[in-house]
Amino acid sequence: MLADVPMVFILVGITAYTVLSGADFGAGLWTLVPGGGRADAAVTRDHTRHAIGPVWEANHVWLIFVLTVAWTCYPVAFGSIVSTLAVPLLIAAIGIIFRGTAYALRSQFADDEERGVRLVESLFALSSVLTPFALATLIGAIATGRVPVGNARGDLVTSWLNPVSVLAGVLAVAFSGYLAAVYLAADARRLAERSLVHDFRVRALVSGVVAGALALAGLLVIRASAPTLWQGLTSGLGLALVVVSALAGVLTMVLVWFGRFGPARASAALAVAAVIAGWAAAQAPQVLPGLTVAQAAAGRSTLIATIVGVAVGAVVLIPSLAVLYSLVLRGRLDTAAAVDGAAAVDGEAAVDGETAAPGAAGRRSPVRGSKDRLAGAFAVATLVAGAWLLVFADPAWAHGLGAVALIACAVTVFALASRPAGELAEAG
């Protein structure tokens, strides 16, 4: 039983990464094909970049979490997987690096530098398609038993380039585009961008139909290529979870049709979670052919230490991510919109005959400005003090004080970042 707990952590991490980073990858897909709707292609690309900006880096926490727990708690299985599936893992790593580089470089080009803009946007889009495809082929390889136990015992090519793995990769790309379309439609609704709402609603419906068709085709391919997996998916808990996923997918389509994008996010996440849980149920108790979860697990002390570490880390990580996502969903990080709103207020004042001083909309009140400066200075001081105490001090009490200082710094920064959009506009 103890050996199963880290596996649950891994499945939760895979689900979170698929739902959150999958939507980010899908946003990259829509930058590759931004035209064909009511909104201009440039406007569509700007909307996708704006939507993923605050969270795309944070979402990779889940991938790091999955890898860390896997190599710590199941070293034999992890070594077998990464040695046999080294090629798709390398492709995924290159895609993640290039995608991040392209996203960062995009802001360095002015809109009139067409060649540079086109290059980095194409690199970002292609990396966003290649990465989920490569990662999904890993799941297909493991699910069909093409990864034997041992160092590089499986075929480096056919282990991940087979009908089930390729279809899993294509399905991952389609589902990423579907998730992104739902999320981007909800963001466009919040920003009152009617053209974008219409475009991404249509994209969500079309990509949802495509993803559903690919999922049905995947079941037929699994029946022909992986009978053991097919048996697990069509009986017992595996079948129940497949049904849950299908119902959640249909519900999501209905919600998108009626423009209920908020609930559609939750039902889409449920559909993904049910698919991953169904795969785990169909394959249980084996991780790899001839290797069960209990046999693959590390020693008892390692498992207990990992479980305790994850529990303690979750106390900090989960609230932090919850704050980040709540700020994004409530529009608190829409600084561009806030500045536009401030400009509009300034214009209304001029129309009413009130002459505003130059830059008045960007000035803070003396009291508020003083508090902001003090909070900023406190954040910097606690950051420096906490880092110094943790790195250079020896006593345990100093390390504890350093940790408290860093937590205080994080809380202060979150407090500053979570100010309402109107106050952000006043702060310039």
Side-chain angles (χ1 to χ4, degrees), residues 54-122:
V55 298
W56 72 281
E57 196 68 82
N59 290 338
H60 283 297
V61 167
W62 296 108
L63 179 60
I64 298 170
F65 171 76
V66 169
L67 293 175
T68 303
V69 174
W71 77 52
T72 302
C73 296
Y74 309 101
V76 174
F78 182 83
S80 303
I81 292 169
V82 298
S83 58
T84 293
L85 301 175
V87 175
L89 282 170
L90 178 62
I91 293 173
I94 292 174
I96 291 173
I97 294 170
F98 279 15
R99 182 173 178 271
T101 302
Y103 188 86
L105 287 176
R106 175 60 182 86
S107 62
Q108 305 303 314
F109 289 94
D111 291 336
D112 56 353
E113 299 180 80
E114 294 183 6
R115 184 177 179 181
V117 169
R118 187 165 57 249
L119 176 62
V120 297
E121 286 186 342
S122 298

Coordinates of all heavy atoms in Angstrom, one line a residue, residues 54-122:
P54 N 1.2 34.8 -17.6 CA 1.5 34.7 -16.2 C 1.7 33.3 -15.7 O 2.2 33.1 -14.5 CB 0.2 35.3 -15.6 CG -0.5 36.1 -16.7 CD -0.1 35.3 -17.9
V55 N 1.3 32.3 -16.4 CA 1.3 30.9 -15.8 C 2.1 29.9 -16.6 O 2.3 28.8 -16.1 CB -0.2 30.4 -15.8 CG1 -1.0 31.3 -14.9 CG2 -0.8 30.4 -17.2
W56 N 2.6 30.2 -17.8 CA 3.2 29.1 -18.6 C 4.4 28.5 -17.9 O 4.7 27.4 -18.0 CB 3.5 29.6 -20.0 CG 4.7 30.6 -20.1 CD1 4.6 31.9 -19.8 CD2 6.0 30.3 -20.5 NE1 5.9 32.5 -20.0 CE2 6.7 31.5 -20.4 CE3 6.6 29.1 -20.9 CZ2 8.1 31.6 -20.8 CZ3 8.0 29.2 -21.3 CH2 8.7 30.4 -21.2
E57 N 5.2 29.4 -17.2 CA 6.4 28.8 -16.6 C 6.0 28.1 -15.3 O 6.6 27.0 -15.0 CB 7.3 30.0 -16.2 CG 8.8 29.6 -15.9 CD 9.5 29.1 -17.1 OE1 10.0 29.8 -17.9 OE2 9.6 27.8 -17.2
A58 N 5.1 28.6 -14.6 CA 4.6 27.9 -13.3 C 4.1 26.5 -13.6 O 4.2 25.6 -12.8 CB 3.6 28.7 -12.6
N59 N 3.4 26.3 -14.8 CA 2.8 25.0 -15.1 C 3.9 23.9 -15.2 O 3.5 22.7 -15.1 CB 2.0 25.1 -16.4 CG 0.8 26.0 -16.1 OD1 0.3 26.1 -15.0 ND2 0.2 26.5 -17.2
H60 N 5.1 24.2 -15.6 CA 6.1 23.2 -15.7 C 6.6 22.6 -14.3 O 7.3 21.7 -14.3 CB 7.4 23.8 -16.4 CG 7.1 23.9 -17.9 ND1 6.9 22.8 -18.7 CD2 7.1 25.0 -18.7 CE1 6.7 23.2 -20.0 NE2 6.8 24.5 -20.0
V61 N 6.1 23.3 -13.3 CA 6.4 22.7 -11.9 C 5.9 21.2 -11.9 O 6.6 20.4 -11.3 CB 5.7 23.5 -10.8 CG1 5.7 22.8 -9.5 CG2 6.4 24.9 -10.7
W62 N 4.8 21.0 -12.5 CA 4.2 19.6 -12.4 C 5.1 18.6 -13.1 O 5.2 17.4 -12.7 CB 2.8 19.6 -13.0 CG 1.9 20.5 -12.2 CD1 1.4 21.7 -12.6 CD2 1.4 20.2 -10.9 NE1 0.6 22.2 -11.6 CE2 0.6 21.3 -10.5 CE3 1.6 19.2 -10.0 CZ2 0.0 21.4 -9.3 CZ3 1.0 19.3 -8.7 CH2 0.2 20.3 -8.4
L63 N 5.7 19.0 -14.2 CA 6.6 18.0 -14.9 C 7.8 17.7 -14.1 O 8.2 16.6 -14.0 CB 7.0 18.6 -16.3 CG 8.0 17.8 -17.1 CD1 7.4 16.5 -17.5 CD2 8.4 18.5 -18.4
I64 N 8.4 18.7 -13.5 CA 9.5 18.5 -12.6 C 9.1 17.7 -11.4 O 9.9 16.7 -11.0 CB 10.1 19.9 -12.1 CG1 10.6 20.7 -13.3 CG2 11.2 19.7 -11.1 CD1 10.9 22.1 -12.9
F65 N 7.9 17.9 -10.9 CA 7.4 17.1 -9.7 C 7.3 15.6 -10.1 O 7.7 14.7 -9.4 CB 6.1 17.7 -9.3 CG 5.3 16.8 -8.3 CD1 5.7 16.8 -7.0 CD2 4.3 16.0 -8.7 CE1 5.0 16.0 -6.1 CE2 3.6 15.3 -7.8 CZ 4.0 15.3 -6.5
V66 N 6.7 15.3 -11.3 CA 6.6 14.0 -11.8 C 7.9 13.3 -11.9 O 8.1 12.1 -11.5 CB 5.8 13.9 -13.1 CG1 5.8 12.5 -13.7 CG2 4.3 14.3 -12.8
L67 N 8.9 13.9 -12.6 CA 10.2 13.3 -12.8 C 10.9 13.1 -11.5 O 11.5 12.0 -11.3 CB 11.0 14.3 -13.7 CG 10.6 14.4 -15.1 CD1 11.4 15.5 -15.8 CD2 10.6 13.1 -15.8
T68 N 10.8 14.0 -10.5 CA 11.5 13.8 -9.2 C 11.0 12.7 -8.4 O 11.7 11.8 -7.9 CB 11.4 15.1 -8.4 OG1 12.0 16.2 -9.2 CG2 12.2 15.0 -7.1
V69 N 9.6 12.6 -8.3 CA 9.0 11.5 -7.6 C 9.3 10.2 -8.3 O 9.6 9.1 -7.6 CB 7.5 11.7 -7.4 CG1 6.8 10.5 -6.8 CG2 7.2 13.0 -6.6
A70 N 9.3 10.2 -9.6 CA 9.5 8.9 -10.4 C 10.9 8.3 -10.2 O 11.1 7.2 -9.9 CB 9.2 9.1 -11.8
W71 N 11.9 9.2 -10.3 CA 13.3 8.6 -10.2 C 13.7 8.3 -8.7 O 14.5 7.5 -8.5 CB 14.3 9.5 -10.9 CG 14.7 10.7 -10.2 CD1 15.2 10.9 -8.9 CD2 14.8 12.1 -10.8 NE1 15.6 12.2 -8.7 CE2 15.3 12.9 -9.8 CE3 14.5 12.6 -12.0 CZ2 15.5 14.3 -10.1 CZ3 14.7 13.9 -12.3 CH2 15.2 14.7 -11.3
T72 N 13.0 9.0 -7.8 CA 13.3 8.8 -6.4 C 12.6 7.5 -5.9 O 13.2 6.7 -5.2 CB 12.8 9.9 -5.5 OG1 13.5 11.1 -6.0 CG2 13.1 9.7 -4.0
C73 N 11.3 7.3 -6.2 CA 10.6 6.2 -5.6 C 10.5 4.9 -6.5 O 10.3 3.9 -6.0 CB 9.1 6.7 -5.4 SG 9.0 8.0 -4.2
Y74 N 10.8 5.1 -7.8 CA 10.8 3.9 -8.7 C 12.0 4.0 -9.6 O 11.8 4.1 -10.9 CB 9.5 3.9 -9.5 CG 8.2 4.0 -8.7 CD1 7.5 5.3 -8.6 CD2 7.7 3.0 -8.0 CE1 6.4 5.4 -7.8 CE2 6.6 3.1 -7.2 CZ 5.9 4.3 -7.1 OH 4.8 4.4 -6.3
P75 N 13.2 3.8 -9.1 CA 14.4 4.0 -9.9 C 14.6 3.0 -11.0 O 15.0 3.4 -12.1 CB 15.5 3.9 -8.8 CG 14.9 3.1 -7.7 CD 13.5 3.5 -7.7
V76 N 14.2 1.8 -10.8 CA 14.4 0.8 -11.8 C 13.5 1.1 -13.0 O 13.9 1.1 -14.2 CB 14.2 -0.6 -11.3 CG1 14.2 -1.7 -12.4 CG2 15.2 -1.0 -10.2
A77 N 12.2 1.3 -12.7 CA 11.3 1.7 -13.8 C 11.7 3.0 -14.5 O 11.6 3.0 -15.7 CB 9.9 1.8 -13.2
F78 N 12.1 4.0 -13.7 CA 12.5 5.2 -14.3 C 13.7 5.1 -15.3 O 13.7 5.6 -16.4 CB 12.8 6.3 -13.2 CG 13.2 7.6 -13.8 CD1 12.2 8.5 -14.1 CD2 14.5 8.0 -13.9 CE1 12.5 9.8 -14.6 CE2 14.8 9.2 -14.4 CZ 13.8 10.1 -14.8
G79 N 14.7 4.3 -14.8 CA 15.9 4.1 -15.6 C 15.5 3.4 -16.9 O 16.1 3.7 -18.0
S80 N 14.6 2.4 -16.8 CA 14.2 1.6 -18.0 C 13.5 2.5 -19.0 O 13.7 2.5 -20.2 CB 13.3 0.5 -17.6 OG 14.0 -0.4 -16.7
I81 N 12.6 3.4 -18.5 CA 11.8 4.3 -19.3 C 12.7 5.3 -20.0 O 12.6 5.4 -21.3 CB 10.7 5.0 -18.5 CG1 9.7 3.9 -18.1 CG2 10.1 6.1 -19.3 CD1 8.7 4.5 -17.0
V82 N 13.6 6.0 -19.3 CA 14.3 7.1 -19.9 C 15.4 6.5 -20.8 O 15.8 7.2 -21.8 CB 15.0 8.0 -18.9 CG1 13.9 8.7 -18.0 CG2 15.9 7.2 -18.0
S83 N 15.9 5.3 -20.6 CA 16.9 4.8 -21.5 C 16.3 4.3 -22.8 O 16.9 4.5 -23.9 CB 17.7 3.6 -20.8 OG 16.8 2.6 -20.4
T84 N 15.2 3.6 -22.7 CA 14.5 3.1 -23.9 C 13.9 4.3 -24.7 O 13.9 4.3 -26.0 CB 13.5 2.1 -23.6 OG1 14.1 0.9 -23.1 CG2 12.6 1.7 -24.8
L85 N 13.3 5.2 -24.0 CA 12.5 6.3 -24.7 C 13.4 7.6 -24.7 O 12.8 8.7 -24.5 CB 11.2 6.5 -24.0 CG 10.3 5.3 -23.9 CD1 9.0 5.6 -23.1 CD2 9.9 4.9 -25.4
A86 N 14.7 7.4 -24.8 CA 15.5 8.6 -24.8 C 15.3 9.6 -25.9 O 15.3 10.8 -25.8 CB 17.0 8.2 -24.9
V87 N 14.9 9.1 -27.1 CA 14.6 9.9 -28.3 C 13.5 10.9 -28.1 O 13.6 12.1 -28.2 CB 14.5 9.1 -29.5 CG1 14.2 10.0 -30.7 CG2 15.8 8.3 -29.8
P88 N 12.3 10.3 -27.7 CA 11.1 11.3 -27.5 C 11.3 12.2 -26.3 O 10.9 13.3 -26.4 CB 9.9 10.4 -27.3 CG 10.5 9.0 -26.9 CD 11.8 8.9 -27.6
L89 N 12.0 11.7 -25.3 CA 12.4 12.6 -24.2 C 13.3 13.8 -24.6 O 13.1 14.9 -24.2 CB 13.0 11.8 -23.1 CG 12.1 11.0 -22.2 CD1 12.9 10.1 -21.3 CD2 11.2 11.9 -21.4
L90 N 14.2 13.5 -25.5 CA 15.1 14.5 -26.0 C 14.3 15.5 -26.9 O 14.5 16.7 -26.8 CB 16.2 13.9 -26.8 CG 17.2 14.9 -27.5 CD1 17.9 15.7 -26.4 CD2 18.2 14.1 -28.3
I91 N 13.4 15.0 -27.7 CA 12.6 15.9 -28.5 C 11.8 16.8 -27.7 O 11.6 18.0 -27.9 CB 11.7 15.0 -29.5 CG1 12.6 14.3 -30.5 CG2 10.7 15.9 -30.2 CD1 11.8 13.3 -31.3
A92 N 11.1 16.2 -26.6 CA 10.3 17.0 -25.7 C 11.1 18.1 -25.0 O 10.7 19.2 -24.9 CB 9.6 16.1 -24.7
A93 N 12.3 17.7 -24.5 CA 13.2 18.7 -23.9 C 13.6 19.8 -24.8 O 13.6 21.0 -24.4 CB 14.4 18.0 -23.3
I94 N 14.0 19.5 -26.0 CA 14.3 20.5 -27.0 C 13.1 21.4 -27.3 O 13.2 22.6 -27.4 CB 14.9 19.9 -28.3 CG1 16.2 19.2 -28.0 CG2 15.0 20.9 -29.4 CD1 16.7 18.4 -29.2
G95 N 12.0 20.8 -27.4 CA 10.7 21.6 -27.7 C 10.4 22.5 -26.5 O 10.1 23.7 -26.8
I96 N 10.6 22.1 -25.3 CA 10.3 23.0 -24.1 C 11.3 24.1 -24.1 O 10.9 25.3 -23.9 CB 10.4 22.1 -22.8 CG1 9.2 21.2 -22.7 CG2 10.4 23.1 -21.6 CD1 9.3 20.2 -21.6
I97 N 12.6 23.8 -24.4 CA 13.6 24.9 -24.4 C 13.4 25.9 -25.5 O 13.4 27.1 -25.2 CB 15.0 24.3 -24.5 CG1 15.3 23.4 -23.2 CG2 16.1 25.3 -24.7 CD1 16.6 22.6 -23.3
F98 N 13.1 25.4 -26.7 CA 12.9 26.3 -27.8 C 11.7 27.1 -27.6 O 11.6 28.3 -28.0 CB 12.9 25.5 -29.1 CG 14.2 25.1 -29.7 CD1 15.4 25.2 -28.9 CD2 14.3 24.7 -31.0 CE1 16.6 24.9 -29.4 CE2 15.6 24.3 -31.5 CZ 16.7 24.4 -30.7
R99 N 10.6 26.5 -27.1 CA 9.4 27.2 -26.8 C 9.6 28.4 -25.9 O 9.1 29.5 -26.1 CB 8.3 26.2 -26.3 CG 7.0 26.8 -26.1 CD 6.0 25.7 -25.7 NE 4.7 26.2 -25.5 CZ 4.3 26.6 -24.3 NH1 5.1 26.5 -23.2 NH2 3.0 27.0 -24.1
G100 N 10.3 28.1 -24.8 CA 10.5 29.1 -23.8 C 11.4 30.3 -24.4 O 11.1 31.4 -24.2
T101 N 12.4 29.9 -25.1 CA 13.3 30.8 -25.8 C 12.5 31.7 -26.7 O 12.7 33.0 -26.8 CB 14.4 30.1 -26.5 OG1 15.2 29.3 -25.6 CG2 15.4 31.2 -27.1
A102 N 11.7 31.1 -27.6 CA 10.9 31.9 -28.6 C 9.9 32.8 -27.9 O 9.7 33.9 -28.3 CB 10.2 30.9 -29.5
Y103 N 9.3 32.3 -26.8 CA 8.3 33.2 -26.1 C 9.0 34.4 -25.5 O 8.5 35.5 -25.6 CB 7.7 32.4 -25.0 CG 6.5 33.1 -24.3 CD1 5.2 33.1 -24.9 CD2 6.7 33.9 -23.2 CE1 4.2 33.8 -24.3 CE2 5.7 34.6 -22.6 CZ 4.4 34.5 -23.1 OH 3.4 35.2 -22.5
A104 N 10.2 34.2 -24.9 CA 11.0 35.3 -24.4 C 11.5 36.3 -25.5 O 11.5 37.5 -25.3 CB 12.1 34.8 -23.6
L105 N 11.9 35.7 -26.6 CA 12.4 36.6 -27.7 C 11.4 37.4 -28.3 O 11.7 38.5 -28.9 CB 13.2 35.7 -28.7 CG 14.5 35.1 -28.3 CD1 15.0 34.2 -29.4 CD2 15.5 36.2 -28.0
R106 N 10.1 36.9 -28.3 CA 9.0 37.6 -29.0 C 8.9 39.1 -28.5 O 8.7 40.0 -29.3 CB 7.7 36.9 -28.8 CG 6.5 37.6 -29.4 CD 6.7 37.8 -30.9 NE 5.5 38.6 -31.5 CZ 5.4 39.9 -31.5 NH1 6.4 40.6 -31.0 NH2 4.4 40.4 -32.1
S107 N 9.1 39.3 -27.3 CA 8.9 40.7 -26.7 C 10.1 41.6 -27.1 O 10.0 42.8 -26.9 CB 8.8 40.6 -25.2 OG 10.0 40.0 -24.6
Q108 N 11.2 41.0 -27.7 CA 12.3 41.8 -28.0 C 12.2 42.4 -29.4 O 13.0 43.2 -29.9 CB 13.6 41.0 -27.9 CG 13.8 40.4 -26.6 CD 13.9 41.4 -25.5 OE1 14.5 42.4 -25.6 NE2 13.2 41.1 -24.4
F109 N 11.2 42.0 -30.2 CA 11.0 42.4 -31.6 C 9.8 43.4 -31.6 O 8.8 43.2 -31.0 CB 10.7 41.2 -32.5 CG 11.9 40.4 -32.7 CD1 12.1 39.2 -32.0 CD2 12.8 40.7 -33.7 CE1 13.1 38.4 -32.2 CE2 13.9 39.8 -34.0 CZ 14.1 38.7 -33.2
A110 N 10.0 44.5 -32.3 CA 8.9 45.4 -32.6 C 8.0 44.8 -33.7 O 8.4 43.9 -34.4 CB 9.5 46.7 -33.1
D111 N 6.8 45.3 -33.7 CA 5.8 44.7 -34.6 C 6.2 44.9 -36.1 O 5.7 44.1 -37.0 CB 4.4 45.3 -34.4 CG 3.8 44.8 -33.0 OD1 4.2 43.7 -32.6 OD2 3.0 45.5 -32.5
D112 N 7.0 45.9 -36.4 CA 7.4 46.1 -37.7 C 8.6 45.3 -38.2 O 8.9 45.3 -39.4 CB 7.7 47.6 -38.0 CG 8.8 48.1 -37.0 OD1 9.2 47.4 -36.1 OD2 9.2 49.3 -37.2
E113 N 9.2 44.5 -37.3 CA 10.3 43.6 -37.7 C 9.6 42.3 -38.0 O 9.7 41.3 -37.3 CB 11.2 43.5 -36.5 CG 11.9 44.8 -36.1 CD 12.9 44.6 -34.9 OE1 14.0 44.2 -35.1 OE2 12.5 44.9 -33.8
E114 N 9.1 42.2 -39.2 CA 8.3 41.1 -39.6 C 9.0 39.8 -39.7 O 8.6 38.8 -39.3 CB 7.6 41.4 -41.0 CG 6.6 42.5 -41.0 CD 6.0 42.7 -42.3 OE1 6.2 41.9 -43.2 OE2 5.2 43.7 -42.5
R115 N 10.3 39.9 -40.2 CA 11.0 38.6 -40.3 C 11.3 38.0 -39.0 O 11.1 36.8 -38.8 CB 12.3 38.9 -41.1 CG 13.2 37.7 -41.3 CD 14.4 38.0 -42.2 NE 15.2 36.8 -42.4 CZ 16.3 36.8 -43.1 NH1 16.8 37.9 -43.6 NH2 17.0 35.7 -43.3
G116 N 11.8 38.8 -38.0 CA 12.1 38.3 -36.7 C 10.9 37.8 -36.0 O 10.9 36.7 -35.3
V117 N 9.8 38.5 -36.1 CA 8.5 38.2 -35.4 C 8.0 36.8 -36.0 O 7.6 35.9 -35.3 CB 7.5 39.3 -35.6 CG1 6.1 38.8 -35.1 CG2 7.9 40.5 -34.8
R118 N 8.0 36.7 -37.3 CA 7.6 35.5 -38.0 C 8.4 34.3 -37.5 O 7.9 33.2 -37.3 CB 7.6 35.7 -39.5 CG 6.9 34.5 -40.2 CD 6.6 34.9 -41.7 NE 7.8 35.3 -42.4 CZ 8.1 36.5 -42.8 NH1 7.2 37.5 -42.5 NH2 9.2 36.8 -43.4
L119 N 9.7 34.5 -37.4 CA 10.6 33.4 -37.1 C 10.3 32.9 -35.7 O 10.1 31.7 -35.4 CB 12.0 33.8 -37.2 CG 13.1 32.8 -36.8 CD1 13.0 31.5 -37.6 CD2 14.5 33.4 -36.8
V120 N 10.3 33.8 -34.7 CA 10.1 33.3 -33.3 C 8.7 32.8 -33.1 O 8.5 31.9 -32.3 CB 10.4 34.5 -32.3 CG1 11.9 34.9 -32.4 CG2 9.5 35.7 -32.5
E121 N 7.7 33.4 -33.7 CA 6.3 32.9 -33.6 C 6.2 31.5 -34.2 O 5.5 30.6 -33.6 CB 5.3 33.8 -34.2 CG 5.1 35.1 -33.4 CD 4.0 36.0 -33.9 OE1 3.7 35.8 -35.1 OE2 3.5 36.9 -33.2
S122 N 6.8 31.2 -35.3 CA 6.8 29.9 -35.9 C 7.5 28.9 -35.0 O 7.0 27.8 -34.9 CB 7.4 29.9 -37.3 OG 6.7 30.8 -38.2

